[in-house]
Amino acid sequence: QGYFLADAALYGTQRESWVLVHHLWMIIAHHPIGEPLQGCRLMGCGDCSRAVWLSATGYWAEISTLFLVVRWFQHRCLRKHSVWYSINSACLLTTYPVTRVGGAAAILLGSLWPSRAEYERQGLGSLITFTTVTYIAMALMSSYYFYTLVSRGLSRALFFAPEVAKKE
């Protein structure tokens, strides 16, 4: 939970308040994972390892965060285009939709929804609904942010323009 709090405090309050909303939601969603074991077993429908698996696969989306942070740093430090900017941007444009949008769909379709009947038998169907809403919200927010990255053209997303970066 510390990652979500730190990231939300550092970046969420500056320009993109939706990041703050996203991280507060994720704190609620991931809170029962790990300790105490009762919450973990509840989220895993009696199997703590399932809850940890769902949480860990959700964190897979954070792979793209590395490239976002490097890009933020490059926007503030670069004076002219660098091939490293293009490489980082290509990694960001690849990992962001795959892990944040595709990953959410894979978790729902491959892990969570197939277990729905088991959760409902134990009176925990609302956890499936909550987690579904969480992943759909994450995928929608991520799709919107990805759109903002590419909406002005792929060239602008891949090649550094110092005058543009200063305005963003």
Side-chain angles (χ1 to χ4, degrees), residues 3 5-6 15 34 47-48 58 66 79 87 103 106 110 112 118-119 122 129 131 134 139-140 160 166:
Y3 160 75
L5 290 172
R15 184 178 75 163
D47 181 5
C48 195
L66 169 68
R79 303 281 182 249
I87 291 169
L112 196 61
E118 183 181 348
Y119 277 84
Q122 295 191 30
T129 303
T131 307
T134 297
L140 289 173
F160 181 72
K166 300 300 180 218

Side-chain angles (χ1 to χ4, degrees), residues 18 22 61 64 68 93 95-105 134-151:
W18 64 271
H22 162 71
S64 61
L68 277 171
L93 295 176
T95 60
Y96 201 88
V98 169
T99 62
R100 292 181 182 254
V101 180
T134 297
Y135 279 116
I136 289 173
M138 184 182 87
L140 289 173
M141 287 186 282
S142 295
S143 296
Y144 172 75
Y145 186 74
F146 183 74
Y147 169 77
T148 66
L149 288 173
V150 297
S151 64

